[in-house]
């Protein structure tokens, strides 16, 4: 099913012609719960991974205060979905449900084995579905994995860490059927399996990342119309899971150019979000889902920090240069 962003309430290029030079294409991924296969684009779905290629593991130090058995995370989510279904079909005995939840927790126990834990799939993006990805002359598939635990010594501390693979799908002869799973995880970092409904949109930089004169004109316009979020929240940058574009609202630190070690400015590759929209960005909800309230607000089920966004960057000079991350 197609997902379509409603027309923005303000025509930014008409209001501010100088913005045209800063326009960037982004792809809203619109993940929705489903059962994708390895030959489809997905969030949290199976990867088209060569059987002969080693599965990546994380060698960094982990903070374990939020860890729980990975199998429990999956079983708990399945229980909640079943409970919600039963509640819709009739009343629940909440004392019985409490005992069921306690019994489920007691069934699972796992500790960090002290070895490098395997990563889990985060995103698989086929170029045929997701335009505007780099190097389409050499690749047609982007795979992103991450370690679903907190990392105190990572570039963006106390977050998952990413690993990227660029591929030609035709080069994968035999697909790995059963990749290894970690024993423990932070449940907030385990995505639900989602199919994608990609949509290309145009984004513009936030006012904090624009030249001072242009940013001042935009703020003065917002003051005149009595809407202090008209540009940043309502019109310039789409919320949710995305590829390319500008990313999201810098709310924790001030914007800065993300530089590669080679000196090149790195660009957004994938934006992992704590939801598709919130109370301030509900106007970005697809027209096909109008009136659905919060049903599709967080299909992936990932939470970054206190509801933030984690962005993965790439160096346009070479896919072999290290990727960088930032949380905002």
């Amino acid at each position: 099913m197609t997902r379509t962003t409603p027309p923005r309430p303000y025509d930014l290029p008409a209001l501010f012609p100088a913005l045209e030079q800063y326009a960037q294409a982004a792809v809203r991924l619109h993940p929705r719960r489903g059962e994708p296969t390895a030959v489809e684009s997905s969030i949290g779905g199976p990867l088209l991974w060569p059987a002969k290629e080693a599965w990546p593991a994380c060698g960094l130090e982990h903070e374990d205060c939020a860890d729980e058995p990975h199998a429990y995370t999956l079983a708990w989510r399945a229980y909640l979905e079943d409970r919600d279904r039963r509640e819709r079909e009739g009343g629940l005995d909440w004392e019985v449900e409490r005992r069921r939840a306690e019994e489920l927790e007691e069934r699972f126990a796992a500790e960090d084995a002290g070895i490098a834990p395997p990563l889990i799939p985060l995103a698989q993006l086929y170029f045929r579905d997701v335009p505007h990805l780099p190097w389409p002359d050499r690749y047609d598939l982007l795979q992103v994995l991450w370690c679903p635990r907190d990392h105190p010594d990572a570039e963006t501390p106390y977050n998952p860490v990413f690993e990227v693979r660029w591929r030609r799908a035709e080069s994968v002869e035999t697909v790995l059927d059963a990749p290894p799973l970690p024993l423990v995880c932070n449940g907030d970092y385990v995505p639900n399996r989602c199919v994608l409904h990609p949509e290309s949109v145009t984004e513009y930089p936030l006012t904090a990342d624009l030249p001072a004169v242009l940013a001042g004109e935009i703020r003065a316009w917002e003051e005149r119309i009595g809407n202090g979020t008209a540009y940043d929240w309502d019109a310039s940058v789409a919320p949710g899971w995305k590829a390319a574009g500008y990313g999201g609202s810098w709310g924790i630190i001030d914007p800065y150019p993300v530089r590669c070690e080679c000196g090149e400015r790195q660009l957004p590759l994938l934006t992992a979000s704590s939801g598709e929209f919130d109370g301030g960005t509900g106007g970005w909800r697809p027209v096909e889902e109008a009136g659905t309230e919060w049903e599709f607000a967080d299909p992936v089920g990932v939470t970054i920090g206190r509801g933030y966004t984690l962005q993965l960057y790439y160096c346009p000079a070479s896919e072999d240069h290290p990727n960088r991350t930032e949380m905002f």
Side-chain angles (χ1 to χ4, degrees):
M1 178 180 177
T2 300
R3 299 298 190 279
T4 309
T5 299
R8 295 299 79 215
Y10 309 103
D11 187 346
L12 294 181
L15 289 166
F16 308 101
L19 272 177
E20 284 281 19
Q21 62 185 306
Y22 301 106
Q24 288 281 1
V27 181
R28 300 190 70 189
L29 298 176
H30 295 306
R32 299 294 183 267
R33 296 293 299 276
E35 290 298 328
T37 69
V39 295
E40 296 175 296
S41 296
S42 65
I43 297 294
L47 303 182
L48 190 78
W49 193 272
K52 295 181 179 180
E53 183 175 325
W55 189 266
C58 180
L60 299 180
E61 180 182 352
H62 300 103
E63 173 63 64
D64 62 5
C65 63
D67 283 351
E68 61 188 23
H70 181 264
Y72 170 75
T73 296
L74 302 182
W76 176 249
R77 290 185 182 179
Y79 162 72
L80 290 178
E81 289 183 3
D82 180 67
R83 189 188 70 183
D84 290 345
R85 177 190 59 78
R86 290 185 285 109
E87 185 176 18
R88 289 192 299 269
E89 295 174 353
L92 296 177
D93 183 330
W94 288 103
E95 180 59 28
V96 171
E97 296 307 318
R98 183 186 64 80
R99 290 198 299 269
R100 285 180 174 174
E102 291 176 350
E103 291 169 0
L104 182 64
E105 187 172 1
E106 292 172 357
R107 280 174 46 200
F108 294 93
E111 296 182 358
D112 186 347
I115 59 174
L119 275 58
I120 64 172
L122 180 67
Q124 176 164 270
L125 307 180
Y126 282 91
F127 285 39
R128 64 174 184 261
D129 302 321
V130 183
H132 316 304
L133 293 173
W135 307 301
D137 57 325
R138 303 203 298 278
Y139 305 107
D140 61 8
L141 177 60
L142 167 65
Q143 296 171 328
V144 182
L145 306 90
W146 71 9
C147 177
R149 300 177 70 181
D150 285 307
H151 301 79
D153 299 327
E155 178 187 24
T156 307
Y158 298 98
N159 272 295
V161 291
F162 295 93
E163 190 155 331
V164 173
R165 292 289 190 277
W166 301 93
R167 300 194 189 280
R168 295 290 300 180
E170 63 186 14
S171 69
V172 181
E173 297 177 352
T174 304
V175 180
L176 181 65
D177 287 331
L181 296 173
L183 292 177
V184 297
C185 67
N186 180 332
D188 286 341
Y189 303 150
V190 178
N192 294 317
R193 289 193 172 194
C194 291
V195 296
L196 303 185
H197 307 274
E199 177 200 17
S200 293
V201 297
T202 300
E203 294 189 331
Y204 301 93
L206 300 174
T207 50
D209 206 20
L210 283 171
V213 172
L214 180 54
E217 292 176 358
I218 292 172
R219 294 191 187 101
W221 164 73
E222 289 179 324
E223 187 173 346
R224 287 196 303 272
I225 67 173
N227 183 356
T229 63
Y231 179 82
D232 283 349
W233 285 16
D234 298 343
S236 64
V237 174
W241 289 72
K242 298 181 296 184
Y246 277 110
S249 300
W250 294 78
I252 305 173
I253 60 175
D254 291 332
Y256 71 95
V258 179
R259 298 277 179 194
C260 181
E261 296 173 353
C262 72
E264 191 81 20
R265 181 166 183 168
Q266 294 206 340
L267 303 174
L269 180 61
L270 178 70
T271 301
S273 179
S274 298
E276 285 293 277
F277 60 86
D278 56 23
T281 57
W284 292 88
R285 188 180 343 204
V287 296
E288 294 84 0
E289 296 171 350
T292 55
E293 298 299 329
W294 296 97
E295 181 178 354
F296 300 107
D298 188 18
V300 177
V302 161
T303 301
I304 304 296
R306 298 180 179 178
Y308 300 132
T309 294
L310 189 62
Q311 191 163 61
L312 175 67
Y313 295 80
Y314 74 97
C315 178
S318 173
E319 66 271 39
D320 295 324
H321 291 186
N323 299 93
R324 297 195 59 189
T325 60
E326 188 54 81
M327 181 175 70
F328 46 76

